[in-house]
Amino acid sequence: LMQLSVPLNFIGFIYREIRQGLTDIEQMFALLDVKQEVVDQPQARPLAVSHGAVEFRDVHFSYDPARPILKGVSFEVPAGKTIAIVGPSGAGKSTISRLLFRFYDIQSGSVLIDGQDIRDVTQESLRAAIGMVPQDTVLFNDTIAYNIRYGRTDASDEEVKKAAELAQIGAFIDRLPDGYKAMVGERGLKLSGGEKQRVAIARTILKAPPILMLDEATSALDTHTEQEIQAALDLVSRGRTTIVIAHRLSTVIGADEIIVLKDGRIAERGTHLALLRKEGLYASMWARQREASEAEERLRIARESD
Ligand code: ATP
């Protein structure tokens, strides 16, 4: 029995270490099977965030040398502002979020936060400065309170509750028979995509990072859910430098700048109105999206009147 219990303890230890070491974002990338190829430089310093300005300067990147993904991408997100990245599938939008976290090193150019090249800082301090609301949040098989508190493990019950309310999931939790003690995840209550995203927003509210990276769900949400999520996102991004991989019109309308990525290059950039006036790629993307959502709406009304 002794012989068996040692390795079991050891596995338990490793498991706890891994679980503690994971941040919400790392979970996601771990699931995407990202290799750990990036290492801290021997002289790496902690990132010193003064305002939280982000800059991509002529970034060239490929996962595989034969196939360039980003071909000279430059943009700035001034402190506290929001930029939305849009573009066709495969354009390289999620790649930009992976590079900001430095899950890969770029081939040339630089990624800077408050003027510091992210290759010169420790990965731990870099990832601590960025909050991520992924498309599909992974929930632990634990209570909903545990899942929210994950954003900052020393948060009090009161703070967890407040974050849930701000993230527009508080009323939903209050209606559960076990409230904040309700078990969620694979072996508990299954949450919808929109509910999971609000749990991720609540986590991020607790973490209170200076920089925020949002990856909107591509799946259609009903109008009410979309409005609730939008309200929660507006709140969490207020005063924070925010980069959104945007799929919804409601998000891009409010962005300070929209970047239209196509084949690894910035094809168009500007505000929503300026881009609509341009009648280019962006304008046609939204015309298509509007037609699709109007068709859906007509279908819904037809179904309701049946
Ligand atoms: P979507 O809107 O569909 O999510 P995207 O614009 O976010 O697309 P990315 O995920 O950034 O696109 O991918 C850009 C390109 O890089 C795609 O062609 C994809 O196949 C490729 N790619 C993504 N991840 C890897 C990887 N780990 N290894 C090799 N190629 C990859």
Side-chain angles (χ1 to χ4, degrees):
L1 192 66
M2 262 311 275
Q3 263 179 336
L4 187 70
S5 78
V6 172
L8 279 182
N9 270 338
F10 185 63
I11 291 167
F13 168 75
I14 301 267
Y15 173 71
R16 278 190 299 278
E17 285 296 299
I18 292 173
R19 181 146 129 166
Q20 275 161 19
L22 287 173
T23 66
D24 42 358
I25 170 65
E26 281 166 334
Q27 266 179 60
M28 180 177 107
F29 286 103
L31 289 175
L32 293 176
D33 189 25
V34 174
K35 285 194 289 287
Q36 194 65 38
E37 21 190 87
V38 168
V39 285
D40 279 357
Q41 291 194 17
Q43 72 280 21
R45 304 168 273 101
L47 173 72
V49 182
S50 48
H51 302 92
V54 173
E55 184 182 353
F56 272 57
R57 196 181 286 169
D58 196 23
V59 169
H60 289 256
F61 173 74
S62 59
Y63 294 97
D64 155 10
R67 197 168 151 242
I69 303 290
L70 297 184
K71 306 164 187 167
V73 168
S74 299
F75 61 85
E76 279 178 63
V77 199
K81 300 284 184 195
T82 296
I83 71 150
I85 303 176
V86 302
S89 178
K93 304 182 294 293
S94 304
T95 300
I96 289 182
S97 72
R98 290 177 205 135
L99 296 180
L100 181 62
F101 281 99
R102 201 178 165 223
F103 282 106
Y104 298 91
D105 274 330
I106 56 182
Q107 274 83 36
S108 68
S110 42
V111 177
L112 306 148
I113 294 179
D114 286 336
Q116 300 150 85
D117 192 308
I118 61 170
R119 283 171 293 206
D120 298 335
V121 304
T122 62
Q123 292 173 73
E124 193 191 355
S125 66
L126 173 68
R127 288 167 202 172
I130 308 168
M132 172 81 183
V133 179
Q135 272 202 28
D136 199 6
T137 298
V138 181
L139 296 179
F140 296 109
N141 293 314
D142 209 308
T143 63
I144 194 146
Y146 177 93
N147 273 281
I148 294 174
R149 186 172 280 118
Y150 196 70
R152 182 160 54 81
T153 47
D154 64 0
S156 68
D157 287 350
E158 228 9 77
E159 287 172 312
V160 168
K161 198 164 178 326
K162 182 92 181 116
E165 277 158 16
L166 291 172
Q168 314 272 330
I169 186 106
F172 167 84
I173 299 172
D174 288 335
R175 283 197 301 272
L176 298 173
D178 294 327
Y180 282 79
K181 294 202 176 78
M183 296 295 287
V184 295
E186 276 161 35
R187 276 178 267 129
L189 186 69
K190 304 263 188 305
L191 301 188
S192 74
E195 288 152 2
K196 281 197 271 187
Q197 197 161 37
R198 277 173 281 171
V199 169
I201 295 170
R203 274 181 193 168
T204 310
I205 290 172
L206 283 182
K207 184 174 174 180
I211 299 164
L212 204 63
M213 184 85 229
L214 310 176
D215 194 350
E216 282 185 347
T218 27
S219 54
L221 298 168
D222 63 77
T223 317
H224 179 68
T225 308
E226 177 168 338
Q227 281 168 355
E228 280 192 341
I229 290 184
Q230 195 55 46
L233 289 178
D234 284 349
L235 202 130
V236 65
S237 64
R238 196 169 300 154
R240 298 209 160 95
T241 310
T242 306
I243 300 176
V244 197
I245 298 175
H247 298 286
R248 294 198 284 271
L249 195 55
S250 52
T251 312
V252 287
I253 286 177
D256 295 295
E257 189 181 29
I258 300 158
I259 284 176
V260 186
L261 206 62
K262 185 168 184 261
D263 298 331
R265 288 199 174 84
I266 296 178
E268 293 174 7
R269 69 201 311 162
T271 60
H272 176 68
L273 279 179
L275 287 175
L276 281 187
R277 274 194 219 108
K278 221 171 153 183
E279 296 181 10
L281 186 62
Y282 179 84
S284 62
M285 264 176 60
W286 289 122
R288 271 203 309 276
Q289 163 140 346
R290 178 161 308 144
E291 278 165 27
S293 64
E294 279 169 5
E296 235 166 67
E297 190 67 13
R298 276 197 299 276
L299 205 68
R300 195 181 60 77
I301 292 168
R303 254 192 249 118
E304 275 176 8
S305 59
D306 271 351

